[in-house]
């Protein structure tokens, strides 16, 4: 008897065309940047540097979101994790600043921010994995908790004695345009870019990544080959919390230099939009984060140039972009299949 | 072929497992010899899967012992079972759809280049090696969701072999296959046993057992009622062991006397949930007094066709006529009121409200009309009275008509739906998978009811993934493949082989 297997085809062709579009887009962006750089080098450099700055907390938040969601846990508490970490990192720095060298105090501030993020990740994991609470409610608990605690303990008028400084990477920083934009940055900005590639590699090329994705897509398949769904989810949400914590520390110790009530200002939620727009991949999310960062940086530049555009309009650009992205792409992008569902082993 | 001389590789001694209110396994003894195929036969709920889950470490027996290769073992989790050489292919595949074959195979026992970094090409080479050694054709780089069901099953088997399994448990492996794919699986099973693998094969299909097994264990209500040998068994004798009484396996019916067409479908195109065409231009007719059966492997557009006919899914183009009314895209209520009865594929999701009583479930399609309601007020007495009456008439095994539907067994749930749909005037009956997952006794009852409707002059459309069901019931057999009806055959011409080939999409071979 002849074989009667049925084959499905036509998938690769659509992938190739997607890649072509991406390359065309990158080339177009490159040409636009060079053109504006020739027209107005100062403004272009400052917008692009601003883009990298603004994208940093967004990509860190998005990495937090996608590490959790790839293992099946929705995290809408990124905002709260960031805020709490921003606050604790700031307070630790304020407390330690007078008794030790500034660099060490800043370093310990960042570390404590990361730990607080991880701790809140652990709390979210406990609510969603052990208590099997609705994950949206779990995230909301974290957001409200963070807003309440930080507002309550916040003391007006505290400042640090300094922020994390920028480091020029030797001769690389002297390249026109690219130098100031990419190679004259502060530590967490460098780290965020490195982490994008690390997480991308880890997710698709390591044992951890394979197991994480299996748990997020088909937990019982992972369970039947002896992978602990609970352990994987706990571990991932805690690791993810470190990223949100780093983003929080960035806001107070590297970007602003002080703490304000509700200073995350929706960045945790925009990070989720960034993650979805990036289709749950680190590289894609980085692209999306740069787009959102660009919208914010452009606003700052437009305000600065004193153009006759109402600031409310420019200021709302990142949020309008969020709505457009979520309305246009959220439906089409495919989230991990088991996201949001507590796992009941047999 | 007597293999009892071979050593015993797996033994279950007096296994008992209780769930709240149920004795799932009652002192079951089982012996598996090296290199043999032991078929485990039983109805749904007989305890087959529970027993296998214990051998695979997913459940833990309350009493009894498990011996593997001469050693008493405590299997705390699947890992323990895997380490002892036990592999299981689950009825619902445990494969991650978006990952490649090689990734799925190595998941949990990954090949690395050190430092936790995957060695993907090495894994692909391993898969290719296993695939060649055992004749399990599959592309290691393919993404699982792009593969047909038969290939996914081969991936599952490779997954077990990759973990060095020499005891393989196959849970209802043929439920999702065409007859040809099933034959291919049997060839693979023999190939595996020839190389020393021992197989436990779970099924409720009697033909398969006789074709492939060395020993047959029959479970009924959690108890092992006997071990049979295929040489000395018949389908009837096995069925009797399974059910505990004499059952009639074939549907008994007289010749059909069809008259005028009741349902006519013209060039119907329907999209699925992912917005792809699932029904790609179907035209057909069902006449009063005949049963038309649609055969086909699941996922070839049958579900979307039925949903479009019953108003649950919009048609993209084309027409559906009920007698002289164009009912295309009518609401389900309107279609119901015109005399269409529907036994939906998923009885728990679309057939019944689980938390409602049986009496309430039986008026779901007409609770708003007299005599059940008067001026927007529901008359409970009439509803309850009808409930009591139908429970008796349709032999629903329940404490009372006030029991919530969710408490009943699958077969009894299905009887409730049948009772509701048949208790009002009907011109057309659309039955999707009417006997999926229910016991032999209920199957017999429901088949007889469907034939009775036909003899009353109702036009009947039966959609089923069970080829035997379609062949047994239908007066005409339509075969659906890839959104098309590729052929319509009279029952007399519809042989298993021919329909099987059509189901696999090879029209030329079936016709030629």
């Amino acid at each position: 008897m002849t074989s009667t297997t049925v084959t499905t085809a036509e998938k690769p062709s659509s992938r190739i065309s997607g890649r072509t579009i991406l390359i065309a887009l990158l080339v177009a962006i490159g040409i636009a940047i060079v053109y504006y750089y020739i027209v107005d080098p100062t403004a272009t450099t400052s917008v692009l540097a601003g883009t990298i700055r603004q994208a940093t907390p967004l990509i860190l938040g998005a990495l937090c979101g996608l590490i959790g969601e790839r293992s099946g846990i929705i995290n809408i508490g990124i905002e709260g994790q960031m805020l709490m970490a921003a606050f604790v990192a700031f307070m630790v720095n304020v407390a330690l600043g007078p008794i030790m060298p500034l660099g060490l105090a800043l370093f310990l501030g960042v570390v404590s921010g990361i730990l607080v993020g991880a701790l809140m990740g652990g709390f979210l994991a406990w609510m969603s994995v052990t208590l099997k609470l609705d994950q949206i409610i779990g995230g909301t608990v974290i957001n409200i908790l963070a807003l309440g605690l930080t507002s309550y303990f916040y003391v007006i008028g505290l400042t640090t004695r300094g922020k994390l400084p920028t480091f020029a990477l030797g001769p690389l920083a002297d390249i026109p345009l690219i130098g100031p934009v990419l190679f004259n940055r502060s530590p967490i900005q460098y780290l965020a870019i490195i982490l994008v590639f690390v997480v991308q590699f880890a997710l698709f090329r390591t044992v951890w990544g394979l197991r994480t994705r299996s748990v997020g897509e088909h937990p019982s398949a992972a369970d039947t080959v002896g992978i602990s769904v609970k352990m994987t989810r706990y571990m991932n949400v805690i690791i993810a919390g470190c990223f949100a914590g780093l983003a929080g520390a960035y806001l107070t110790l590297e970007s602003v230099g002080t703490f304000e009530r509700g200073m995350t200002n929706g960045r945790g939620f925009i990070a989720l939009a960034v993650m979805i727009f990036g289709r749950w991949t680190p590289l894609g999310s980085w692209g999306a984060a740069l787009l959102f960062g660009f919208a914010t940086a452009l606003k700052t530049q437009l305000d600065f140039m004193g153009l006759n555009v109402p600031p409310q309009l420019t200021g709302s650009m990142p949020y309008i972009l969020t709505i457009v992205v979520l309305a246009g792409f959220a439906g089409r992008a495919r989230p991990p299949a088991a996201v949001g569902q507590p796992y009941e082993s047999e | 072929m007597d293999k009892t001389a071979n050593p015993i590789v797996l033994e279950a001694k007096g296994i008992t497992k209780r769930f709240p209110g149920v004795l799932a396994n009652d002192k079951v003894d089982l012996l598996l010899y090296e290199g043999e195929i032991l078929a485990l036969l039983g109805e749904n709920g007989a305890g087959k899967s529970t027993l296998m889950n214990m051998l695979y470490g997913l459940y833990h027996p309350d009493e009894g012992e498990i011996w593997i290769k001469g050693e008493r073992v405590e299997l705390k989790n699947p890992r323990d079972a895997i380490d002892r050489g036990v592999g299981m292919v689950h009825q619902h595949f445990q494969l991650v759809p978006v990952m490649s074959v090689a990734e799925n195979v190595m998941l949990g026992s990954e090949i690395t280049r050190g430092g936790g970094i995957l060695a993907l090409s090495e894994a692909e080479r391993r898969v290719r090696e296993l695939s060649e050694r055992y004749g399990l054709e599959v592309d290691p780089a393919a993404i699982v969701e792009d593969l047909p069901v038969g290939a996914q099953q081969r991936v599952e088997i490779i997954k077990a072999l990759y973990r060095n399994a020499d005891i393989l448990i196959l849970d209802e492996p043929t439920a999702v296959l065409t007859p040809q794919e099933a034959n291919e699986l049997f060839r693979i099973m023999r190939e595996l046993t020839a190389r020393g693998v021992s197989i436990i094969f779970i099924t409720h299909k009697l033909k398969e057992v006789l074709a492939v097994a060395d020993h047959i264990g029959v479970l009924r209500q959690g108890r092992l009622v006997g071990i049979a040998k295929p040489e000395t068994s018949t389908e009837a004798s096995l069925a009797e062991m399974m059910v505990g009484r004499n059952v009639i396996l074939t549907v008994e019916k007289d010749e059909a006397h069809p008259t005028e067409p009741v349902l006519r479908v013209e060039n119907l195109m329907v999209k699925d949930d992912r917005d792809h065409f699932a029904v790609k231009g179907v035209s057909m007719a069902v006449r009063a007094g005949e049963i038309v059966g649609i055969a086909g492997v699941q996922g070839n557009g049958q579900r979307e066709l039925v949903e479009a006919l019953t108003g649950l899914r919009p048609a993209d183009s084309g027409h559906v006529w009920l007698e002289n009314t164009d009912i295309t895209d009518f609401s389900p209520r309107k279609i119901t009121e015109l005399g269409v009865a529907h036994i939906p594929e998923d009885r728990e999701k679309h057939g019944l409200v689980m938390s409602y009583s049986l009496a309430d479930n039986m008026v779901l399609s007409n609770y708003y009309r007299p005599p059940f309601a008067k001026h927007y007020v529901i008359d409970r007495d009439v509803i309850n009275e009808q409930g009591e009456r139908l429970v008796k008439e349709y032999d629903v095994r329940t404490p009372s008509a006030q029991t919530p539907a969710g408490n009943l067994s699958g077969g009894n749930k299905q009887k409730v739906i049948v009772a509701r749909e048949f208790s009002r005037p009907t011109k057309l009956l659309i039955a999707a998978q009417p006997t999926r997952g229910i016991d032999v006794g209920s199957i017999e009852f429901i088949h007889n009811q469907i034939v009775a409707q036909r003899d009353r002059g109702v036009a009947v459309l039966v959609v089923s993934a069970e080829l035997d069901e379609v062949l047994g019931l239908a007066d005409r057999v339509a075969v659906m493949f890839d959104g098309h009806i590729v052929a319509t055959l009279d029952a007399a011409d519809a042989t298993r082989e021919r329909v099987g080939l059509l189901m696999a999409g090879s029209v030329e071979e079936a016709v030629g």
Side-chain angles (χ1 to χ4, degrees):
Chain A
M1 192 178 67
T2 44
S3 158
T4 52
T5 40
V6 186
T7 51
T8 48
E10 285 180 57
K11 224 171 179 180
S13 66
S14 66
R15 265 185 214 149
I16 291 165
S17 73
R19 176 159 292 185
T20 320
I21 291 169
L22 186 67
I23 290 169
L25 201 68
L26 290 177
V27 169
I29 290 172
I31 292 170
I33 288 173
V34 169
Y35 170 76
Y36 282 106
Y37 183 66
I38 292 165
V39 174
D40 187 346
T42 332
T44 307
T45 309
S46 113
V47 167
L48 291 183
T51 300
I52 301 279
R53 257 199 318 276
Q54 297 290 350
T56 300
L58 299 182
I59 184 58
L60 289 173
L63 290 176
C64 168
L66 77 87
I67 291 172
E69 292 211 3
R70 282 284 185 169
S71 75
I73 304 288
I74 298 175
N75 184 356
I76 66 153
I78 300 171
E79 176 86 1
Q81 288 176 295
M82 269 193 206
L83 186 64
M84 193 75 132
F87 178 72
V88 171
F90 175 72
M91 292 307 281
V92 165
N93 176 255
V94 167
L96 297 181
I99 57 169
M100 58 176 69
L102 178 64
L104 187 60
L106 283 169
F107 177 73
L108 290 176
V110 172
V111 169
S112 55
I114 292 172
L115 289 179
V116 165
L119 199 67
M120 295 187 80
F123 180 48
L124 177 69
W126 179 66
M127 286 189 287
S128 15
V129 178
T130 305
L131 300 186
K132 300 193 172 101
L133 204 66
D134 185 292
Q135 295 172 11
I136 301 297
I137 294 183
T140 308
V141 166
I142 285 183
N143 286 333
I144 293 172
L145 188 72
L147 193 61
L149 285 178
T150 55
S151 301
Y152 181 76
F153 287 109
Y154 174 57
V155 182
I156 296 169
L158 292 178
T159 47
T160 56
R161 290 194 292 132
K163 299 195 286 179
L164 287 164
T166 55
F167 289 103
L169 286 188
L172 286 174
D174 298 330
I175 307 169
L177 182 62
I178 299 171
V181 172
L182 283 181
F183 301 119
N184 192 9
R185 311 247 52 99
S186 46
I188 298 178
Q189 295 182 32
Y190 286 128
L191 190 57
I193 296 172
I194 295 167
L195 285 172
V196 167
F197 292 93
V198 170
V199 177
Q200 177 81 22
F201 181 83
L203 203 50
F204 295 101
R205 288 279 181 274
T206 68
V207 172
W208 169 78
L210 188 71
R211 294 185 174 187
T212 293
R213 287 182 291 134
S214 73
V215 167
E217 291 284 347
H218 197 332
S220 71
D223 197 13
T224 49
V225 294
I227 296 168
S228 164
V229 175
K230 284 186 173 186
M231 281 295 294
T232 309
R233 288 185 168 172
Y234 255 98
M235 188 175 76
N236 274 44
V237 177
I238 290 171
I239 293 174
C242 296
F243 285 78
L246 188 61
Y250 169 79
L251 289 178
T252 41
L253 298 185
E254 192 168 299
S255 175
V256 182
T258 179
F259 182 83
E260 293 155 30
R261 287 198 174 102
M263 73 180 298
T264 40
N265 213 0
R267 281 186 183 84
F269 294 107
I270 295 180
L272 281 176
V274 162
M275 171 195 77
I276 293 169
F277 196 23
R279 292 169 181 254
W280 287 267
T281 66
L283 279 179
S285 301
W286 193 39
L290 289 174
L291 180 67
F292 279 87
F294 176 72
T296 316
L298 192 62
K299 167 227 182 264
T300 315
Q301 187 64 24
L302 289 176
D303 292 349
F304 179 71
M305 286 160 78
L307 293 180
N308 200 12
V309 185
Q312 291 86 346
L313 186 67
T314 53
S316 59
M317 275 197 319
Y319 305 97
I320 292 173
L321 197 60
T322 309
I323 293 171
V324 170
V325 162
L326 287 179
F329 286 86
R332 258 177 291 167
R334 189 160 83 167
V339 81
Q341 302 161 8
Y343 179 63
E344 305 275 355
S345 66
E346 288 179 76
Chain B
M1 193 166 41
D2 191 32
K3 289 184 181 170
T4 40
N6 291 354
I8 294 165
V9 288
L10 186 145
E11 187 174 6
K13 288 183 188 169
I15 299 282
T16 299
K17 177 75 185 172
R18 293 179 201 91
F19 291 116
V22 192
L23 188 58
N25 282 153
D26 186 8
K27 299 194 188 69
V28 177
D29 296 312
L30 210 60
L31 281 178
L32 177 67
Y33 297 95
E34 187 179 289
E36 77 154 8
I37 299 175
L38 170 67
L40 206 54
L41 195 62
E43 294 193 85
N44 285 292
K48 293 169 297 185
S49 293
T50 306
L51 182 60
M52 290 307 112
N53 283 334
M54 282 187 280
L55 298 182
Y56 192 61
L58 284 165
Y59 295 160
H60 313 291
D62 295 330
E63 284 163 37
E65 299 170 5
I66 297 169
W67 292 67
I68 294 176
K69 292 157 201 154
E71 205 182 320
R72 187 173 170 193
V73 293
E74 297 270 352
L75 304 171
K76 286 192 239 11
N77 50 47
R79 193 87 242 172
D80 285 351
I82 293 167
D83 290 344
R84 311 255 171 201
V86 180
M88 183 157 175
V89 175
H90 298 261
Q91 188 175 3
H92 305 286
F93 296 155
Q94 300 297 327
L95 298 172
V96 183
V98 296
M99 289 187 188
S100 78
V101 169
E103 284 180 316
N104 265 293
V105 169
M106 71 169 158
L107 180 66
S109 316
E110 296 85 355
I111 305 178
T112 66
R113 277 188 262 155
I117 296 169
L118 298 171
L120 201 57
S121 52
E122 174 65 19
E124 287 182 1
R125 203 187 54 74
R126 272 285 280 146
V127 171
R128 205 166 295 122
E129 203 179 275
L130 286 168
S131 130
E132 276 159 20
R133 190 183 325 153
Y134 293 100
L136 293 151
E137 196 189 318
V138 72
D139 170 13
I143 301 297
V144 164
E145 66 184 348
D146 295 340
L147 295 175
V149 184
Q152 293 192 14
Q153 192 165 56
R154 292 197 286 275
V155 177
E156 280 279 29
I157 295 173
I158 291 177
K159 217 169 118 181
L161 296 173
Y162 171 89
R163 290 166 172 72
N164 298 316
D166 49 14
I167 299 169
L168 203 55
I169 302 169
L170 306 174
D171 191 2
E172 301 262 0
T174 56
V176 290
L177 303 180
T178 63
Q180 280 77 14
E181 283 175 320
N183 284 335
E184 172 67 13
L185 175 69
F186 298 152
R187 184 195 63 71
I188 291 168
M189 285 165 65
R190 287 193 200 97
E191 178 83 38
L192 290 170
T193 51
R195 286 164 184 275
V197 177
S198 318
I199 295 177
I200 301 180
F201 168 54
I202 302 177
T203 186
H204 62 263
K205 294 183 185 173
L206 304 165
K207 276 195 185 70
E208 297 177 345
V209 169
L210 292 172
V212 79
D214 296 309
H215 282 100
I216 304 164
V218 183
L219 279 176
R220 187 194 333 142
Q221 287 165 359
R223 228 175 266 167
L224 188 77
V225 290
I227 300 275
K229 302 227 45 165
E231 306 87 84
T232 53
S233 307
T234 62
E235 283 186 47
S237 72
L238 291 175
E240 199 174 328
M241 280 172 83
M242 241 165 98
V243 186
R245 65 179 170 85
N246 201 356
V247 279
I248 299 146
L249 291 168
T250 49
V251 183
E252 299 204 322
K253 59 180 175 122
D254 301 325
E255 207 177 310
H257 301 286
T259 54
E260 292 302 304
V262 174
L263 173 76
R264 278 183 298 132
V265 181
E266 268 176 32
N267 257 321
L268 189 68
M269 312 263 287
V270 187
K271 283 181 175 169
D272 65 12
D273 294 333
R274 294 182 304 164
D275 222 26
H276 299 154
F277 278 105
V279 178
K280 305 171 180 172
V282 162
S283 298
M284 63 182 300
V286 183
R287 292 170 293 178
E290 73 168 348
I291 299 175
V292 173
I294 294 188
V297 181
Q298 278 176 56
N300 276 290
Q302 300 96 317
R303 172 182 299 169
E304 288 78 7
L305 174 65
V306 168
E307 287 180 351
L309 296 181
T310 50
L312 294 169
R313 183 181 286 276
D316 196 74
S317 63
H319 290 278
V320 181
W321 298 79
L322 184 70
E323 292 180 327
N324 293 316
T325 320
D326 184 348
I327 61 162
T328 321
D329 292 339
F330 272 28
S331 70
R333 175 175 282 190
K334 243 176 161 179
I335 292 174
T336 307
E337 285 177 346
L338 286 168
V340 177
H342 178 207
I343 301 176
E345 178 177 333
D346 188 337
R347 59 180 159 264
E348 315 223 325
K349 216 153 133 199
H350 299 129
L352 297 168
V353 181
M354 290 300 165
S355 55
Y356 280 16
S357 71
L358 301 187
D360 287 352
N361 267 298
M362 282 163 174
V363 293
L364 282 185
S365 50
N366 48 11
Y367 64 90
Y368 53 92
R369 315 181 88 181
F372 305 113
K374 279 167 203 127
H375 311 295
Y376 301 103
V377 179
I378 279 176
D379 189 335
R380 292 234 69 98
D381 291 344
V382 180
I383 290 173
N384 291 339
E385 212 172 278
Q386 166 179 286
E388 308 279 342
R389 183 167 55 77
L390 290 178
V391 161
K392 270 196 215 96
E393 206 173 301
Y394 285 86
D395 189 28
V396 183
R397 310 278 166 84
T398 169
S400 88
Q402 297 306 321
T403 308
N407 292 8
L408 300 192
S409 74
N412 283 306
K413 282 181 189 144
Q414 197 71 334
K415 284 182 189 170
V416 175
I417 296 174
V418 168
R420 174 182 71 220
E421 297 299 314
F422 290 4
S423 64
R424 56 192 167 80
T426 308
K427 290 173 190 159
L428 171 68
L429 164 65
I430 298 174
Q433 320 292 353
T435 59
R436 173 181 286 171
I438 65 179
D439 55 287
V440 177
S442 303
I443 291 177
E444 198 183 356
F445 179 84
I446 286 168
H447 282 170
N448 289 338
Q449 290 292 329
I450 291 175
V451 172
Q453 289 288 317
R454 179 200 75 170
D455 293 340
R456 228 167 281 152
V458 173
V460 182
L461 181 67
V462 174
V463 179
S464 177
E466 296 277 349
L467 185 49
D468 287 324
E469 174 163 59
V470 174
L471 296 180
L473 275 176
D475 302 309
R476 285 193 298 139
V477 178
V479 184
M480 206 157 169
F481 174 74
D482 192 28
H484 298 279
I485 292 206
V486 289
T488 307
L489 309 168
D490 281 329
D493 304 328
T495 59
R496 280 185 70 81
E497 292 66 33
R498 218 169 144 188
V499 175
L501 282 170
L502 288 164
M503 282 164 69
S506 46
V507 178
E508 303 78 17
E509 284 174 62
V511 176

